[in-house]
Amino acid sequence: MHLLNLGILAHVDAGKTSLTERLLHSVGVIDEVGSVDAGSTRTDTLALERQRGITIKAAVVSFPLDGVTVNLIDTPGHPDFIAEVERVLGVLDGAVLVVSAVEGVQAQTRVLMRTLRRLRIPTLVFVNKIDRRGAGEDEVLRAMARRLTPALVPMGTATGLGTRGARFVPGLGPGALDVLADQDDDLLAAYVHGSVAPARLRAALAVQTRRARVHPVYFGSAVTGAGVTDLLGGIEELLPAAAGDPDGPLSATVFKVDRGPAGEKVAYARVFTGTLRTRDRILFGDGPQEGKVTAVSVFDRGTDVRQESVGAGRIGRLWGLGGIRIGDTIRGAAGTGECADVARSAYRQHFAPPTLETVVVPGPHADRRALHIALTQLAEHDPLIGVRHDERRQETSVSLYGEVQKEVIQATLADEYGLDVTFRETTVICVERPVGGGAAVEFNKKDGNPFLATVGLRVDAAPVGSGVDFRLAVELGSMPYAFFKAVEDTVRDTLGQGLHGWRVTDCAVTMTHSGYSPRQSHAHQGFDKSMSSTGADFRALTPLVLTEALRRAGTRVYEPMHRFRIEAPADTLGTLLPVLARLAAVPQSTGTHGSVCVLEGAVPAARVHGLDRRLPGLTRGEGELETAFDHWAPVTRGTVPERPRTDHNPLNRKEYLLNVTKRLGG
């Protein structure tokens, strides 16, 4: 039986979870369609999901469809949870993008379709809510062709729009041939010279859909079931089955991590090649770490069942891997790095990282240590929730996409951990980049260096987007490898806080000097660490050298900039432009389509929330804003933002040495 890993994606309130329920009911997995409003849906299992009627965590449910077993993955629609969608994209064989026939194309719809097309994920479109008052067909199709892609193939028409009797009437219209011929020269030639047989047209539709060149469009209603049977037929006929050799080397990707009733980690993994069996010893992560799988379950007919193995193409739940994290690749313990590349290439970042952060403030009776542990566990489930702990101030901050995430974190801490918290005002996350080059060196036992180590480092600016590159200008054999590793690891950790406290990126760090004190021991006694270098010496000295090199190179602070797109009535343009200027937004293009104006440009991330809040009042409630992270720009207005340090502050040598030598027992 063929396998298909299918994602359901949509903007918030498009009816995505309701469609999932209807699909499960139509294939006989559930006897009654769950209700989002009543909190009785199969995939929204979190208490907060049921209370708010939104999807927060991706959920997997399986069902049979004639000759295909479908693993259906329901994803969040709210843009604050785009990271959850990102993790799913790398494991999909196909997708259904849900659009509301009433609200039409929304900003989040454009973000999702743009990503699906870029990744070439075969995608069907389901226009939902045709039974609702205000539902449209032609206008929605025109909007999708203009704002999503013109490569749309309507698979039929809707009748009785806006009534409970609304129905979907299947049948390819004459426009389908035009769209398909644009992508197929042979089909175009046959079209020009005469007629095209329906069978050939249908075959071309299947081929081009599987290649993500065109996107079939169905109309229907998740509430009444209209059009759902036709959509199921399209899923079976037009989307590709999962590929992969079950006898090949093991290669899998973890896209979700939960905790079981006893607090144990449960990893959700898509197997790309090979077969993973209970009691197998595997490697995972970058370390890599080695672990033993103690139990496996796969999804089947609306639930998951224990099995001895999970093969290529399938999604399994894995127990026993205590150190596993989202994004980890899994390979056989005796495997090579090559097989891991298959999985690693499937899991890459498709959306920008969060650019906001806030300090979590514990309630009067909350245990700070318990709060730190709870936030660390939440970060394991969502690696883009960056937890940053400040020991000196006893504060913990988390990174965010938006304000709704605050509510989710707050409710999760209260419901699952019994912790009452509030938050400080949300601020933006900046980065630092070196301005030029700078070098520093500290020699073993010289000039006030209390550590038995010689470290010399040079910092140079590197191309934008290159990250951090660590290089050696000394011979690898000049001292034990463990000391080089200690320097490199400490360099990367130290660059988490630059001269202004922000993460330093786009730089090359070269080790220019190295030296150590060889192992010494007294007669008839053991190792004497007061005379011999240890890894701790290199880890303690490196921050001093690196920050001095950074100081000589100089750094500049960059703030996150979002690209924006505003659609609004053309007669409101004169009101919009002065407000955009006050928010430091820079329009880069302006166009009009009839009575609608479209502005595109860049705006500081710190001003996006204010723009979103003011837009309805400026546009009579008709304006629509779409924003997404675009680039980092130098801070040119006001004072340079500083971030409080959470380390021992190597910028202050006296303070640093006092704290570090005390910690090391010196």
Side-chain angles (χ1 to χ4, degrees):
M1 179 175 281
H2 292 306
L3 297 167
L4 169 64
N5 296 295
L6 178 71
I8 304 288
L9 295 83
H11 64 81
V12 68
D13 291 333
K16 171 179 48 56
T17 299
S18 297
L19 177 60
T20 300
E21 290 291 308
R22 177 59 66 176
L23 290 171
L24 295 176
H25 180 264
S26 297
V27 297
V29 168
I30 56 178
D31 297 327
E32 185 176 347
V33 177
S35 166
V36 173
D37 293 335
S40 57
T41 58
R42 176 64 62 97
T43 53
D44 284 346
T45 57
L46 298 179
L48 189 61
E49 290 179 314
R50 296 181 183 276
Q51 292 165 15
R52 292 184 60 101
I54 62 173
T55 301
I56 297 170
K57 294 292 184 182
V60 184
V61 63
S62 180
F63 63 85
L65 184 60
D66 292 335
V68 180
T69 295
V70 179
N71 286 325
L72 188 65
I73 309 175
D74 186 16
T75 63
H78 197 286
D80 278 13
F81 307 110
I82 194 69
E84 193 74 15
V85 179
E86 171 174 306
R87 290 188 277 278
V88 170
L89 291 175
V91 304
L92 296 183
D93 303 305
V96 173
L97 180 65
V98 185
V99 179
S100 168
V102 179
E103 291 88 7
V105 176
Q106 302 290 296
Q108 182 75 348
T109 320
R110 284 170 49 83
V111 171
L112 293 170
M113 178 57 99
R114 193 163 53 231
T115 306
L116 288 165
R117 285 177 60 79
R118 186 175 73 247
L119 299 177
R120 303 195 67 79
I121 296 175
T123 302
L124 311 181
V125 180
F126 185 76
V127 181
N128 191 26
K129 302 185 181 181
I130 63 172
D131 58 317
R132 297 282 186 89
R133 181 179 300 175
E137 180 180 10
D138 291 341
E139 55 268 43
V140 173
L141 279 172
R142 285 194 297 269
M144 289 196 300
R146 178 170 59 87
R147 301 189 60 195
L148 300 181
T149 172
L152 300 171
V153 180
M155 300 299 290
T157 58
T159 63
L161 287 167
T163 70
R164 292 284 294 185
R167 292 289 179 268
F168 177 70
V169 180
L172 289 174
L177 182 54
D178 294 331
V179 175
L180 293 169
D182 282 344
Q183 308 285 338
D184 186 332
D185 291 341
D186 291 339
L187 192 64
L188 177 60
Y191 179 26
V192 170
H193 290 96
S195 62
V196 177
R200 181 172 182 182
L201 190 64
R202 198 79 187 187
L205 174 64
V207 169
Q208 294 190 32
T209 301
R210 290 169 186 158
R211 293 177 179 173
R213 292 180 177 176
V214 301
H215 307 285
V217 180
Y218 298 83
F219 285 80
S221 167
V223 172
T224 67
V228 172
T229 300
D230 300 282
L231 175 64
L232 285 167
I235 291 171
E236 181 182 8
E237 177 190 0
L238 302 176
L239 294 180
D245 179 7
D247 298 320
L250 178 63
S251 174
T253 295
V254 176
F255 67 94
K256 177 177 177 176
V257 174
D258 269 346
R259 286 192 178 270
E264 75 279 16
K265 278 190 179 181
V266 183
Y268 290 63
R270 158 77 189 262
V271 180
F272 289 93
T273 62
T275 299
L276 183 58
R277 297 175 177 83
T278 304
R279 294 179 292 281
D280 275 356
R281 299 204 70 84
I282 61 167
L283 300 176
F284 59 89
D286 295 328
Q289 297 185 56
E290 184 171 341
K292 180 180 179 181
V293 178
T294 59
V296 171
S297 71
V298 298
F299 296 92
D300 185 42
R301 292 183 176 271
T303 186
D304 64 305
V305 294
R306 290 293 178 98
Q307 285 195 357
E308 283 299 305
S309 64
V310 53
R314 302 208 72 159
I315 291 174
R317 300 176 76 210
L318 313 177
W319 281 261
L321 307 175
I324 200 85
R325 291 180 60 87
I326 291 171
D328 280 352
T329 58
I330 294 175
R331 56 195 184 278
T336 65
E338 180 183 352
C339 61
D341 292 339
V342 178
R344 187 176 293 114
S345 65
Y347 186 90
R348 54 191 184 277
Q349 191 162 303
H350 309 303
F351 300 103
T355 55
L356 304 173
E357 70 176 353
T358 184
V359 173
V360 184
V361 180
H365 304 295
D367 183 328
R368 289 179 181 271
R369 177 172 174 76
L371 174 60
H372 180 60
I373 293 172
L375 288 171
T376 301
Q377 289 186 357
L378 291 183
E380 291 175 354
H381 300 172
D382 187 346
L384 292 183
I385 294 181
V387 176
R388 186 171 182 268
H389 188 61
D390 186 338
E391 286 284 355
R392 291 187 296 173
R393 297 173 183 80
Q394 287 298 296
E395 293 178 351
T396 302
S397 59
V398 294
S399 54
L400 304 166
Y401 276 100
E403 296 297 312
V404 174
Q405 272 185 295
K406 280 185 180 179
E407 300 176 40
V408 172
I409 293 173
Q410 186 178 44
T412 302
L413 290 173
D415 296 344
E416 297 186 15
Y417 297 93
L419 296 169
D420 177 32
V421 302
T422 57
F423 300 92
R424 291 195 192 149
E425 183 181 0
T426 302
T427 57
V428 298
I429 300 173
C430 298
V431 298
E432 294 181 48
R433 289 184 176 131
V435 175
V441 61
E442 297 256 359
F443 291 100
N444 189 347
K445 303 177 184 177
K446 292 184 179 179
D447 301 324
N449 173 11
F451 308 110
L452 298 179
T454 293
V455 174
L457 298 170
R458 178 174 180 82
V459 176
D460 293 289
V464 173
S466 61
V468 175
D469 183 20
F470 182 79
R471 307 167 180 171
L472 292 179
V474 294
E475 289 187 11
L476 190 58
S478 61
M479 65 180 187
Y481 173 75
F483 295 162
F484 285 111
K485 188 70 168 65
V487 172
E488 179 178 358
D489 291 347
T490 307
V491 162
R492 296 186 184 279
D493 288 343
T494 305
L495 288 176
Q497 301 181 80
L499 303 183
H500 300 278
W502 305 104
R503 177 177 61 89
V504 181
T505 187
D506 300 335
C507 63
V509 180
T510 305
M511 190 170 184
T512 57
H513 297 75
S514 64
Y516 74 109
S517 295
R519 182 183 181 92
Q520 301 287 331
S521 61
H522 297 291
H524 310 297
Q525 295 183 17
F527 168 64
D528 186 352
K529 69 176 182 179
S530 69
M531 301 171 59
S532 312
S533 296
T534 66
D537 288 299
F538 288 89
R539 287 190 291 271
L541 180 60
T542 297
L544 279 176
V545 179
L546 181 59
T547 52
E548 182 58 32
L550 271 178
R551 200 194 318 257
R552 294 173 183 178
T555 65
R556 180 174 295 145
V557 176
Y558 289 71
E559 65 179 334
M561 299 291 291
H562 283 218
R563 63 180 178 272
F564 71 84
R565 185 181 191 276
I566 295 175
E567 280 197 13
D571 60 359
T572 64
L573 183 61
T575 306
L576 271 173
L577 290 174
V579 174
L580 290 174
R582 287 196 291 274
L583 293 172
V586 181
Q588 295 165 345
S589 67
T590 305
T592 56
H593 303 280
S595 61
V596 176
C597 70
V598 178
L599 289 85
E600 295 183 331
V603 59
R607 308 297 181 90
V608 169
H609 185 62
L611 177 58
D612 191 31
R613 191 175 62 248
R614 297 198 61 180
L615 188 64
L618 297 170
T619 60
R620 302 188 297 272
E622 300 178 45
E624 184 179 300
L625 173 67
E626 176 187 339
T627 66
F629 172 80
D630 189 64
H631 66 282
W632 301 95
V635 175
T636 56
R637 308 176 313 278
T639 58
V640 175
E642 301 275 340
R643 192 189 210 186
R645 301 190 71 89
T646 61
D647 57 11
H648 292 299
N649 192 14
L651 292 170
N652 184 324
R653 184 183 182 89
K654 183 177 180 180
E655 175 187 332
Y656 178 83
L657 289 176
L658 181 65
N659 285 313
V660 172
T661 54
K662 183 189 302 182
R663 178 172 60 85
L664 294 177

